[in-house]
Amino acid sequence: MNVTMINRRNVLKSAGAIGIGSLAGCLGGDSNSEYVRPVEIEDWPPESYTDELNTWNWYAEWNEWGTETFAEEHDLDSFSTETYAAPGDWFTNLQSNPENHGIDQIGAFTEWQYRAVEEDLLEPIPIEMMPNVEIPDQYLDAHQEQFWSDEGVGGLYGVPHSVVISPIVMYNTQELQDPPESIDILWDEEFANEISMIAHQPAILCEAGALYTGQDPNDPDDFEEIREVLEQQRDLVFTYADDHQTQMQLLMSGDATVGTHMDGRAFRAMYNQGGDVDWFIPEEGATWGTDTIIIPKNAPNPVTSTMYLNFLFSDEGMERMIETSLYRPPVDNEEFTDGELGDIIREKWDDEWEKYGEAEDFINDLVLSEETLDNLFHNWPRSSDVIERYDEIWTAVTAG
Amino acid sequence: MSIVSIQDLRKEFGNVTAVEGANFDIEEGEFVSVLGPSGSGKSTILRMIAGFESPTSGSIEILGKEVVGMAPFEREVNMVFQDLALFPHLTVAENIKYGLQQKGVSKDEQQRRATEMLEIVDLAGYGNRDIDQLSGGEQQRVALARALVNEPSVVLFDEPLASLDRKLRQRMQFELQQIQEETGITFLYVTHDQEVAMSVSDRMVVLNEGKIEQIGTPEEIYRDPESQFVAQFIGDLNSVYSKVVEANDDTVEVQTNGTLVRVPVMETTTPALNAEAVDIGVRPQNVTLQQTSSNGDGTAFEIGGTVINRMYRGDNIAYIVDTEDEEFLVIEQQDTRTEFEIGEDVYVQWKTDDCLVFPSKEVA
Amino acid sequence: MATKTETSKFNEYSQSVLDYIRDRPRLQVLLLAGPTAGLLVAFFIVPVLIMVWYAFLTGLPPADYTMENFSRIFDPLYLGIIGDTFLITVATTIFTVTLGYTLAYSMVRFSRKTTLLLLLVILPFWTNYIVRMYAWINILQADGVLNWLLNTGGVVEGSQRFMFSHEAVLVGLIYVWLPLAVLPFYASIKTMDEDLIEAAKDLGAGPLKTFFTVTLPMTKNGIYAGLILVAVPAFGAFVTPALLGGTGSVMIGMVIDNQFNQAFNWNFGAALGVFLTLAVVASLLLAVLAGVEDKILKRPDTGGEN
């Protein structure tokens, strides 16, 4: 066993050495070369890159594995990974230090990416030339519309690496079996004081109200109605959970019978923790969004960062993302049902990944049929009016 | 009836006996001092009377009423603390009225008595000042007024003058005495300073290692100390170890420097008749220095020695003379005698009438 | 040789610098107070000014000036939350100060191992705030320690809901801020002259009267310090109510947090921050002016002149 390990490492190292050997002329004293923007990379793989990498990502486990492996393969001198406390931390950092923030790459949420684009803090990323980044249209179109650079150089501000659906309805299977798949269940008096709503963001709470009242959660016509139904629901609500973990615990322990959440968290509860829970997308619909990876302007190592981004989108990278976070990568359904990713999931599910439940169930959960997808709303962009009204409703409802 | 009556009082802290078998009474209007070196148990007695410590055994009666077991705030006594313990967050008048408030005295009456008390302690018009605006002496008077205003059966003093400089202390002593006479309230004053105790007290209780050595007026105690400790503590004392040749009821014949001397003995200090040796004590004021020996009549002691130190003290000069037996402290009035130089050979002399005879401290 | 000359030259030079400073008292003040003042300006004054500036803007700079952010505060919604926050703060402060004072008092008067006790009091501070809140979740939740204890002890049957309530928030806040109150209380009680207590008792005051007329007023500076140290952060709390609170436990700190992290309305968040800062400072000033001190601490009547 040990022997194989050593062999594998040697192979990796020599592969890296060969890769670097071919670039040797461009390295060394050239590491302080002038700033090359990702969109200015002419050939792939890039002719030269600097040997440092500093990344911020909320997907800590995935990113740690990623930087370490990437640094070894490319013989980087130094690399760092950080997580951050509040979703806007990196934005504040970039805004206050637009030139010396020292960050090469960030795992971001779409709403903050949007703000950063507005403030012109991001580099467009040349996804077309990056071999591993192959995102199917159904997931990429919305981004192309919103986040394609209009500088004329091409490139996308932020590359989506996972697809998240919310609010989904999650329920405890000890308390409830085969419920009707409608959001109405969250207003059912049968579950008075057994309902727990995730409310860590104003939007996720208000979206449930919008769906219940048959409105477009991205741009509802009648905010008052949303507020009314949520205030009416409040009498049935046991609590508004402020974080993912608490909400998962509440539903797994049966403290709450039914509640809202995000699909990735339902997967964690079921497959990582073996909780007695199940979930559905309400027939009224839900919203979908993506978590993305961005490269800030004035990143110290923009080319290395681009290469690392490409690495994260390799099969191995996606596999690790699924293993560590159980989120859905933006790939075609066939990749899960008949493709290589599906095979890996099935192969590693029990022994290597030590997950609960059946791999096949998880694969079914990952598949988003065209029908399902049509029923979903892409959650961005939203007008500042919607954001502000949602915030007011959230404040009024949770404070009441 | 005595104001305070203490019987067989005993206090132990762990296995240390702080006070042992204390008995004494204090009569109305008396100014009594409890005097002793530090650690002699004097403060413990005071704190037991005040109620801050409870005796291991024995009784304390105030106005004929047993107070052991009563809380401090239930006792008709007031204390002037060593560091005064004035309330810094209250004004002078508020400090003085504090005790009256606790008794439920009406506000007008409080005001009247506080004003009166401020006059007595010579602080009229100081009522609205803060404590930290006052000098040390003024603070002493406030502390006194705060105790006196309650008209307690007895005021207890825990060395409150100790921190003052000598001049101020003397003035306060004098004022204390005057105020006591004026008010007629009984004072019990604890101190280690024999000068203070002697100058203010009607009677003194001398304590040593938890036991009462002697009770009496300052004069009695100075003149006729009942023990060598008292004699040494109240004033200075030179003392010579002497072998007893013969002893009877009122004299003892001893041998010093080859001369036999017969010394009259007071009843109170009569050493055991079969003692082999005694300490002959003499106050420095009663010793004279002579250049030549004048030995012979048996009514005086004489010891030869050398002057080793000389201290000029204004109205007198103090010499320290090294003799075979002891170093002698000799105080000579400046005007009367010839002066002596350091290194000069002299004879130390004193009369047998001035002798204080005590059982010898040295083990024979 | 060369080094020696250099050293003496250096000494000479530093001596002349010292002489220069010695003759200039203003420069001395600047050198001593300068770094502190600089730090204050850089890390307190400037950020506060930036916050004030943002509060008057319509968006991230460059943006137009507006009063909109402030007028929005007077919406009954936000005033209501500020009112609730105030009530929770008052409750937290009362409990914390009472418990903290009792604890500090018994530590000073009745315990021998005060250093150990103090250490125990401070110890939770070395643990992350969030972790401590999750510890409380573990204690209070349905299958938590408290329910287990009550069930095992036969006090109740079945799991009780302690989490997600006002009480849970109160417990969390008291727990978090108790050490901050105990330390100044401890210091002020410890340094108080014990003779004053004996003096009061000697003058006829019973234990309670002694406490209220002497001990409490004598330790008032410590009490104020503890009071402010508890009330101010409790007023701004947002993690504790978010984690332990249920429906209706929104505190104003959560609203502000939301403006910065969720609603992208930094300007309204800044305006709320400015408003609350002013409100806290103003109420402290008012309390001092109104002489709350004397009323709370039962200062005896001064009566007439003397």
Side-chain angles (χ1 to χ4, degrees):
Chain A
M1 200 53 195
N2 269 338
V3 178
T4 12
M5 285 270 292
I6 288 162
N7 280 345
R8 187 167 173 270
R9 294 192 81 164
N10 282 342
V11 170
L12 278 176
K13 251 195 168 168
S14 50
I18 293 162
I20 283 154
S22 62
L23 297 163
C26 315
L27 268 176
D30 214 17
S31 63
N32 286 331
S33 59
E34 62 186 85
Y35 185 77
V36 179
R37 302 183 60 187
V39 286
E40 288 166 359
I41 296 173
E42 284 171 11
D43 298 307
W44 198 273
E47 277 172 15
S48 76
Y49 59 92
T50 48
D51 51 6
E52 285 176 18
L53 183 64
N54 307 305
T55 63
W56 283 31
N57 202 316
W58 213 322
Y59 289 72
E61 222 183 320
W62 182 41
N63 192 41
E64 267 164 35
W65 164 85
T67 45
E68 233 165 84
T69 314
F70 179 80
E72 200 175 320
E73 282 182 17
H74 291 80
D75 206 22
L76 297 189
D77 258 13
S78 75
F79 61 92
S80 68
T81 63
E82 272 186 55
T83 55
Y84 46 95
D89 281 359
W90 63 264
F91 176 79
T92 320
N93 200 326
L94 296 191
Q95 218 206 7
S96 49
N97 278 309
E99 310 210 331
N100 299 309
H101 50 71
I103 308 171
D104 289 315
Q105 191 181 102
I106 300 163
F109 297 147
T110 322
E111 55 265 43
W112 286 98
Q113 180 193 323
Y114 177 78
R115 298 200 86 196
V117 171
E118 294 284 290
E119 297 286 317
D120 197 21
L121 296 170
L122 303 186
E123 281 290 355
I125 299 164
I127 53 167
E128 279 154 344
M129 76 183 308
M130 295 162 70
N132 293 342
V133 181
E134 287 177 289
I135 302 169
D137 289 346
Q138 69 263 34
Y139 300 126
L140 197 58
D141 282 350
H143 280 265
Q144 299 268 28
E145 254 169 60
Q146 288 304 317
F147 298 125
W148 190 257
S149 163
D150 52 9
E151 292 177 49
V153 288
L156 191 65
Y157 295 112
V159 187
H161 66 76
S162 58
V163 176
V164 186
I165 301 171
S166 71
I168 55 102
V169 175
M170 194 167 153
Y171 58 93
N172 186 294
T173 49
Q174 302 251 312
E175 312 272 334
L176 185 64
Q177 282 90 33
D178 297 323
E181 300 199 338
S182 160
I183 200 146
D184 292 354
I185 194 170
L186 298 171
W187 273 260
D188 190 337
E189 283 180 16
E190 193 191 326
F191 303 111
N193 225 13
E194 300 284 333
I195 296 166
S196 154
M197 299 294 283
I198 181 95
H200 69 299
Q201 303 166 337
I204 199 165
L205 179 64
C206 297
E207 281 161 4
L211 294 169
Y212 181 65
T213 54
Q215 304 189 62
D216 176 356
N218 281 327
D219 188 17
D221 305 313
D222 194 344
F223 288 100
E224 263 322 294
E225 198 186 3
I226 294 176
R227 179 176 172 149
E228 271 167 31
V229 295
L230 288 174
E231 282 179 341
Q232 175 199 332
Q233 182 202 31
R234 186 170 55 213
D235 297 337
L236 310 175
V237 170
F238 165 33
T239 193
Y240 297 102
D242 187 67
D243 71 329
H244 302 122
Q245 193 61 30
T246 304
Q247 178 72 343
M248 261 170 67
Q249 290 290 348
L250 282 171
L251 287 159
M252 288 195 314
S253 67
D255 274 353
T257 303
V258 62
T260 46
H261 219 315
M262 301 155 99
D263 61 347
R265 291 288 166 161
F267 301 159
R268 283 203 197 186
M270 292 159 71
Y271 304 119
N272 266 359
Q273 315 222 8
D276 295 322
V277 287
D278 209 342
W279 71 289
F280 60 80
I281 297 173
E283 63 191 23
E284 291 83 358
T287 71
W288 73 274
T290 51
D291 290 346
T292 64
I293 292 175
I294 57 174
I295 298 175
K297 275 201 171 153
N298 298 313
N301 309 288
V303 177
T304 318
S305 176
T306 314
M307 290 165 68
Y308 174 53
L309 204 165
N310 185 59
F311 168 78
L312 285 177
F313 276 80
S314 64
D315 284 350
E316 200 189 0
M318 285 295 118
E319 176 201 326
R320 285 294 185 147
M321 202 269 295
I322 297 171
E323 185 203 345
T324 53
S325 71
L326 288 178
Y327 273 94
R328 176 190 297 103
V331 296
D332 281 325
N333 288 329
E334 288 75 41
E335 279 289 325
F336 302 127
T337 51
D338 306 314
E340 211 172 315
L341 262 181
D343 289 342
I344 290 169
I345 293 171
R346 288 184 195 96
E347 187 190 316
K348 298 192 168 175
W349 186 257
D350 284 321
D351 297 332
E352 216 168 302
W353 289 3
E354 295 173 350
K355 303 292 186 196
Y356 293 86
E358 297 298 323
E360 214 53 53
D361 289 342
F362 178 55
I363 286 170
N364 281 336
D365 281 334
L366 292 180
V367 169
L368 288 178
S369 68
E370 215 166 298
E371 191 190 348
T372 316
L373 211 49
D374 282 346
N375 201 24
L376 297 179
F377 302 84
H378 184 243
N379 68 5
W380 207 257
R382 283 186 179 149
S383 68
S384 57
D385 182 49
V386 173
I387 294 169
E388 192 175 315
R389 296 300 297 270
Y390 272 3
D391 178 64
E392 265 180 14
I393 294 172
W394 176 90
T395 309
V397 170
T398 54
Chain B
M1 182 178 48
S2 305
I3 296 282
V4 178
S5 174
I6 285 169
Q7 282 142 33
D8 297 328
L9 198 61
R10 184 183 176 84
K11 176 68 182 175
E12 290 166 14
F13 292 107
N15 46 20
V16 178
T17 307
V19 177
E20 200 178 343
N23 285 287
F24 64 91
D25 291 344
I26 302 169
E27 305 305 326
E28 182 164 7
E30 258 194 315
F31 194 138
V32 175
S33 292
V34 177
L35 183 65
S38 58
S40 60
K42 56 190 191 302
S43 284
T44 309
I45 291 181
L46 197 77
R47 290 174 62 77
M48 286 192 283
I49 298 173
F52 298 129
E53 305 283 357
S54 44
T56 309
S57 65
S59 97
I60 302 168
E61 285 177 11
I62 297 175
L63 292 172
K65 203 170 89 184
E66 178 65 47
V67 295
V68 171
M70 279 166 67
F73 52 87
E74 294 167 326
R75 302 189 184 194
E76 291 279 304
V77 297
N78 286 116
M79 183 140 154
V80 178
F81 289 79
Q82 181 160 22
D83 60 0
L84 305 181
L86 293 170
F87 303 124
H89 61 294
L90 304 180
T91 64
V92 169
E94 285 165 355
N95 263 283
I96 295 175
K97 289 179 198 166
Y98 190 92
L100 298 175
Q101 268 165 12
Q102 311 312 320
K103 281 188 190 164
V105 172
S106 78
K107 279 192 182 161
D108 289 347
E109 177 70 5
Q110 281 178 29
Q111 187 60 39
R112 194 187 60 73
R113 280 164 70 175
T115 313
E116 187 185 81
M117 205 32 85
L118 280 168
E119 267 163 32
I120 291 179
V121 298
D122 204 18
L123 284 177
Y126 278 58
N128 286 329
R129 299 215 186 167
D130 283 334
I131 296 301
D132 56 14
Q133 289 178 294
L134 304 184
S135 70
E138 287 165 345
Q139 291 187 355
Q140 299 272 354
R141 293 187 211 151
V142 176
L144 182 61
R146 186 177 69 173
L148 287 176
V149 76
N150 305 303
E151 293 169 3
S153 332
V154 57
V155 180
L156 310 171
F157 295 83
D158 190 5
E159 299 206 49
L161 304 184
S163 62
L164 300 183
D165 64 58
R166 189 183 158 87
K167 265 210 161 144
L168 189 53
R169 190 164 67 231
Q170 282 173 344
R171 219 181 87 199
M172 287 304 298
Q173 262 163 242
F174 176 69
E175 284 183 20
L176 210 57
Q177 222 173 357
Q178 277 198 316
I179 289 167
Q180 200 254 344
E181 274 166 25
E182 211 172 309
T183 56
I185 293 179
T186 312
F187 281 13
L188 180 59
Y189 194 99
V190 155
T191 183
H192 69 277
D193 183 337
Q194 45 111 356
E195 196 187 323
V196 173
M198 303 243 318
S199 54
V200 297
S201 327
D202 298 324
R203 281 197 301 149
M204 286 160 54
V205 177
V206 184
L207 272 183
N208 185 29
E209 292 179 345
K211 287 183 198 149
I212 295 178
E213 295 265 341
Q214 190 171 357
I215 302 177
T217 65
E219 209 179 346
E220 280 168 5
I221 286 179
Y222 186 78
R223 288 261 172 87
D224 303 325
E226 289 175 13
S227 68
Q228 200 169 344
F229 168 80
V230 173
Q232 273 172 339
F233 194 68
I234 313 292
D236 295 312
L237 188 76
N238 296 304
S239 132
V240 184
Y241 173 81
S242 308
K243 283 239 154 59
V244 176
V245 178
E246 195 196 327
N248 58 39
D249 277 355
D250 45 304
T251 56
V252 57
E253 198 172 34
V254 297
Q255 190 171 23
T256 318
N257 281 354
T259 320
L260 284 178
V261 183
R262 187 169 289 271
V263 183
V265 178
M266 288 164 293
E267 280 170 49
T268 44
T269 55
T270 312
L273 287 175
N274 55 358
E276 285 179 16
V278 290
D279 284 336
I280 303 289
V282 63
R283 302 277 185 203
Q285 291 83 352
N286 297 333
V287 184
T288 59
L289 292 183
Q290 304 288 340
Q291 273 166 325
T292 52
S293 172
S294 59
N295 217 352
D297 63 356
T299 58
F301 280 83
E302 185 181 275
I303 303 171
T306 312
V307 175
I308 58 167
N309 207 345
R310 183 193 129 115
M311 287 161 285
Y312 179 72
R313 307 209 297 197
D315 54 347
N316 62 46
I317 297 176
Y319 296 95
I320 294 177
V321 179
D322 193 21
T323 71
E324 267 173 49
D325 298 304
E326 302 278 341
E327 282 185 359
F328 265 73
L329 174 65
V330 182
I331 294 173
E332 298 266 25
Q333 291 307 309
Q334 210 195 345
D335 52 338
T336 54
R337 311 277 174 188
T338 356
E339 290 183 17
F340 299 87
E341 300 302 324
I342 291 175
E344 206 174 329
D345 286 335
V346 292
Y347 291 92
V348 179
Q349 272 185 13
W350 69 94
K351 291 186 188 129
T352 50
D353 287 347
D354 292 326
C355 284
L356 300 164
V357 182
F358 302 108
S360 177
K361 281 197 288 188
E362 286 173 48
V363 183
Chain C
M1 241 349 236
T3 13
K4 213 174 180 185
T5 329
E6 265 172 39
T7 320
S8 67
K9 262 195 175 171
F10 177 76
N11 283 342
E12 224 169 83
Y13 179 72
S14 47
Q15 193 56 47
S16 70
V17 170
L18 286 177
D19 287 344
Y20 183 84
I21 294 171
R22 188 169 299 132
D23 295 342
R24 286 162 181 79
R26 279 190 164 187
L27 184 64
Q28 287 174 13
V29 170
L30 190 73
L31 282 174
L32 286 173
T36 318
L39 275 175
L40 267 179
V41 169
F43 294 109
F44 179 66
I45 311 272
V46 170
V48 165
L49 288 179
I50 291 176
M51 181 172 85
V52 173
W53 182 44
Y54 268 46
F56 289 99
L57 296 180
T58 54
L60 292 185
D64 295 331
Y65 288 96
T66 177
M67 284 301 292
E68 181 70 22
N69 299 316
F70 285 98
S71 56
R72 193 173 160 200
I73 296 173
F74 294 93
D75 186 314
L77 171 61
Y78 298 108
L79 287 182
I81 293 172
I82 292 172
D84 289 349
T85 308
F86 180 75
L87 290 182
I88 293 181
T89 305
V90 169
T92 306
T93 309
I94 290 175
F95 279 112
T96 311
V97 167
T98 316
L99 282 174
Y101 198 91
T102 317
L103 184 61
Y105 192 86
S106 57
M107 272 162 64
V108 174
R109 294 269 180 271
F110 309 124
S111 2
R112 296 208 177 152
K113 301 196 167 171
T114 36
T115 320
L116 180 72
L117 283 173
L118 268 182
L119 193 71
L120 284 177
V121 167
I122 305 167
L123 206 60
F125 259 17
W126 293 340
T127 314
N128 178 287
Y129 188 110
I130 310 258
V131 172
R132 283 184 281 157
M133 285 303 106
Y134 276 102
W136 271 106
I137 293 178
N138 267 309
I139 293 170
L140 297 176
Q141 69 193 7
D143 48 359
V145 179
L146 184 58
N147 262 310
W148 178 80
L149 273 178
L150 291 177
N151 273 292
T152 315
V155 183
V156 297
E157 227 168 276
S159 72
Q160 306 289 307
R161 277 183 176 171
F162 300 111
M163 272 297 291
F164 310 115
S165 60
H166 273 82
E167 291 76 11
V169 175
L170 205 58
V171 166
L173 287 176
I174 292 169
Y175 164 76
V176 165
W177 302 121
L178 191 61
L180 271 190
V182 170
L183 293 181
F185 292 170
Y186 177 83
S188 64
I189 298 171
K190 182 88 183 169
T191 50
M192 186 191 141
D193 183 1
E194 272 187 66
D195 278 356
L196 295 180
I197 293 174
E198 290 196 343
K201 291 191 172 160
D202 183 70
L203 290 166
L208 276 180
K209 271 215 156 159
T210 303
F211 179 77
F212 283 107
T213 55
V214 177
T215 312
L216 211 51
M218 285 307 296
T219 52
K220 68 178 181 195
N221 287 337
I223 295 175
Y224 292 155
L227 210 93
I228 291 170
L229 282 178
V230 171
V232 171
F235 195 69
F238 62 97
V239 174
T240 305
L243 291 180
L244 302 180
T247 60
S249 307
V250 171
M251 288 176 74
I252 197 68
M254 292 165 72
V255 176
I256 296 177
D257 174 44
N258 234 32
Q259 298 312 313
F260 284 93
N261 277 325
Q262 305 288 349
F264 313 126
N265 199 336
W266 290 14
N267 310 97
F268 181 49
L272 276 170
V274 170
F275 178 78
L276 292 180
T277 308
L278 288 178
V280 168
V281 172
S283 48
L284 285 178
L285 282 179
L286 276 177
V288 172
L289 287 178
V292 170
E293 175 187 330
D294 289 351
K295 281 167 200 158
I296 293 176
L297 295 175
K298 283 198 181 171
R299 195 180 164 122
D301 277 317
T302 318
E305 300 296 303
N306 268 294

